Structures are given as structure tokens and as C-alpha cells.
Amino acid sequence: MHISLFFTGHWALSVLLQSLFQHRYAAHRMYTMGPKTERSLHLLTGLVQGSSYLEPRAYALLHREHHAFADTERDPHSPAHHGNPARMMLATARRYAAFVTRREQPEARFLGGYPEWPAVDRTLGRWPSRVAFGALYTLFYRRFATRRWQYLLLPLHFIMGPLHGAIVNWCGHRYGYRNFRTRDMSRNSLPVDALCMGELFQNNHHARPANPDFAARRFELDPTWQVMRLLARLKLIRLAHVPRGHDVEAAREPLRTPAHALPSAAALPVSPRSAAAVDAAATAP
């Protein structure tokens, strides 16, 4: 029971904070908040993700490239150009590491608008910290594991952040249904996405990248959006864009073009240092 609760809790909180902070805030700025709240959420994300913590700056840069070049050869993590999820994860890890170490720089249009806290990012992003968190997970399993098979879950804690990303990018561009015509192969894998806190509504998100609610139809539910609504009511965050009725109505239009017949995304011009511009480019005709 302890192991099940620990794994489920770590999974849910890790993917929630990745969706809430690194994706919807760092990459897209779907909401704003005060500096103290931002630092608190930044630190909480690092502590929860632990050994698989992802630096918000590098995450944001990768994700902005993903939107601009979705499912083309320049997409940093598209299943269309990798034979299996492991190869895709490896290619993504190399690109991520290049951004963290500043060995490579993205196009100027992708820079800016993401939170940076060098002390936290350097500390939690280094191997001694990752190993220390891994040791804590291992000690917990040694204390509470009651069956040998439970140790099979332990390695998942070590790579949980990248694993969430791999599931979203692989499944969200290969399996499921489409609500919108987009220039990429994005799909919605689950109508109620509790597994990845709304991140598997990839088709909805690619069609409306500035919309903080990734659900688009009546039967779809985005848990991270519900958390954002709660935080906004508590006045901890301020939403930059509130979904309107016509956004939902657009999703009810039938999609007649087969997914395999849709063209891929191409490089699109956006103004420098603007995450909002990246969002606008992703939806441009």
C-alpha cells in the first residue's frame, strides 16, 4: 500500500507540475504570478520532480521549437522521425543537455519569457543532486516494499520527468482522435486525461496553443486546467487568457481530412523573445 501510494503520488504531482509550471507557464506564459509565488512554484517543482528535474529554460526552448517545427525534421521530439520512443527520448535528451550547458543556442525568436533561478537549476540539475534523490527513493522502497516486483517501479522514479514527456510526445502524435485540422500529426489520446494531467490533448493544444484549457469537447477533461482555475480563484495566479464559447464550438466541427493526408508543420516567423508569438505562429493559416 505504501509503495502504491508513493508511486501514484509522485507520478501525479510530477506530471502536474511539469504541465502547470514548465509547460503552461515557462513555455507559454498562460498565466502570470508574483515573484514570490513564482519562486515557490519553481522550488516545489524541483523538489517534487527530484532526480528527473527539468530546467524550465531548456524545457521552454525545446517546447517552442516543437510547436514551430511540429513533426518536421527540425522537431526536437517527433515520433515521425524516430523508430521508437527510446530513440526519441535520447535525441530529446541531447538537445536538452545542449541548451542546459549553452553549447547550442536556439533561434533568437525562442528566447525570453521563461523563469530562471540559477541557484536552484544548477543544484537540482547536477548529478550529485539527482543521485541523492534516487538514494532517497531507494531507501523508501527498502523500508516499505513488501513484494520483489514492486522494485520494478523504482527506476521509473529516476526518469519520471523525461518519461512523462516521452509518453505525451509519442502517444500524442500517433494514437487517438483529432478535433482540429492542424499541419502536424497531433492527436488526443484520452478523452479524460488523468494519466498526464491533460497533456495528452495534443491535437487541441496544437490547434489552440495559447488556450490554457487543453480540453475542447464536452466529454474531455483537463485536470491541470481545473487546478489553474482554483489557483486563480485563490488569487495565486492570474490567467492570461480565459477560454471563450467559440473556442469550444470550433471543436464540434467534423474533421473530414484523414490524419495521414495532412501536411506537416513548417518553420514559421515569430517576433523575437516572445512566447506568445510562438503560440500565434503555431495557429497561423
Side-chain angles (χ1 to χ4, degrees), residues 24-38:
R24 306 192 201 201
Y25 182 70
H28 288 290
R29 285 291 172 143
M30 293 178 174
Y31 59 92
T32 61
M33 54 186 161
K36 291 183 179 179
T37 305
E38 179 187 289

Side-chain angles (χ1 to χ4, degrees), residues 81-100:
H81 302 285
H82 299 283
N84 55 62
R87 289 184 178 179
M88 185 185 71
M89 287 180 70
L90 182 59
T92 304
R94 289 171 176 166
R95 186 67 171 165
Y96 170 83
F99 285 155
V100 169

Side-chain angles (χ1 to χ4, degrees), residues 77-142:
H77 40 235
S78 170
H81 302 285
H82 299 283
N84 55 62
R87 289 184 178 179
M88 185 185 71
M89 287 180 70
L90 182 59
T92 304
R94 289 171 176 166
R95 186 67 171 165
Y96 170 83
F99 285 155
V100 169
T101 60
R102 314 291 174 115
R103 293 196 311 270
E104 296 181 17
Q105 289 294 329
E107 296 178 32
R109 56 176 171 156
F110 298 130
L111 294 170
Y114 34 72
E116 295 186 82
W117 192 355
V120 169
D121 293 336
R122 283 197 301 264
T123 300
L124 297 181
R126 290 176 176 171
W127 280 108
S129 176
R130 298 188 188 282
V131 171
F133 275 105
L136 290 176
Y137 305 151
T138 303
L139 289 174
F140 186 90
Y141 270 69
R142 285 178 63 97

Side-chain angles (χ1 to χ4, degrees), residues 59-246:
Y59 183 100
L61 294 175
L62 278 173
H63 190 70
R64 292 171 188 179
E65 287 188 336
H66 172 64
H67 272 278
F69 311 127
D71 290 324
T72 70
E73 292 183 355
R74 298 183 66 183
D75 188 338
H77 40 235
S78 170
H81 302 285
H82 299 283
N84 55 62
R87 289 184 178 179
M88 185 185 71
M89 287 180 70
L90 182 59
T92 304
R94 289 171 176 166
R95 186 67 171 165
Y96 170 83
F99 285 155
V100 169
T101 60
R102 314 291 174 115
R103 293 196 311 270
E104 296 181 17
Q105 289 294 329
E107 296 178 32
R109 56 176 171 156
F110 298 130
L111 294 170
Y114 34 72
E116 295 186 82
W117 192 355
V120 169
D121 293 336
R122 283 197 301 264
T123 300
L124 297 181
R126 290 176 176 171
W127 280 108
S129 176
R130 298 188 188 282
V131 171
F133 275 105
L136 290 176
Y137 305 151
T138 303
L139 289 174
F140 186 90
Y141 270 69
R142 285 178 63 97
R143 173 65 179 82
F144 293 107
T146 56
R147 298 288 187 276
R148 288 185 178 180
W149 66 264
Q150 293 175 338
Y151 281 94
L152 296 175
L153 299 174
L154 183 57
L156 301 183
H157 292 277
F158 305 154
I159 60 169
M160 195 164 280
L163 180 61
H164 290 150
I167 292 172
V168 168
N169 289 296
W170 186 267
C171 297
H173 285 253
R174 289 179 68 92
Y175 312 118
Y177 61 96
R178 292 168 61 85
N179 288 331
F180 299 96
R181 292 181 179 89
T182 60
R183 291 169 295 169
D184 52 56
M185 306 303 293
S186 58
R187 295 173 177 271
N188 302 318
S189 301
L190 297 171
V192 179
D193 179 23
L195 176 66
C196 289
M197 293 294 172
E199 293 293 307
L200 281 171
F201 293 124
Q202 282 288 291
N203 178 243
N204 297 346
H205 177 50
H206 276 259
R208 310 178 307 178
N211 196 320
D213 183 3
F214 289 6
R217 304 185 69 176
R218 292 184 184 275
F219 60 81
E220 295 173 344
L221 177 65
D222 175 7
T224 300
W225 167 241
Q226 305 308 319
V227 173
M228 292 172 66
R229 291 177 63 192
L230 175 61
L231 294 176
R233 288 177 182 176
L234 295 174
K235 301 188 183 302
L236 294 174
I237 67 172
R238 295 175 294 279
L239 297 173
H241 169 74
V242 178
R244 300 181 183 276
H246 62 79

Side-chain angles (χ1 to χ4, degrees), residues 3-41:
I3 296 299
S4 298
L5 290 175
F6 179 63
F7 180 82
T8 303
H10 190 202
W11 178 281
L13 287 174
S14 180
V15 72
L16 171 63
L17 289 167
Q18 184 175 133
S19 179
L20 178 68
F21 185 69
Q22 288 147 326
H23 185 186
R24 306 192 201 201
Y25 182 70
H28 288 290
R29 285 291 172 143
M30 293 178 174
Y31 59 92
T32 61
M33 54 186 161
K36 291 183 179 179
T37 305
E38 179 187 289
R39 286 295 177 95
S40 298
L41 194 54

Side-chain angles (χ1 to χ4, degrees), residues 262-283:
L262 295 170
S264 298
L268 299 167
V270 293
S271 59
R273 306 186 68 80
S274 172
V278 176
D279 295 336
T283 55

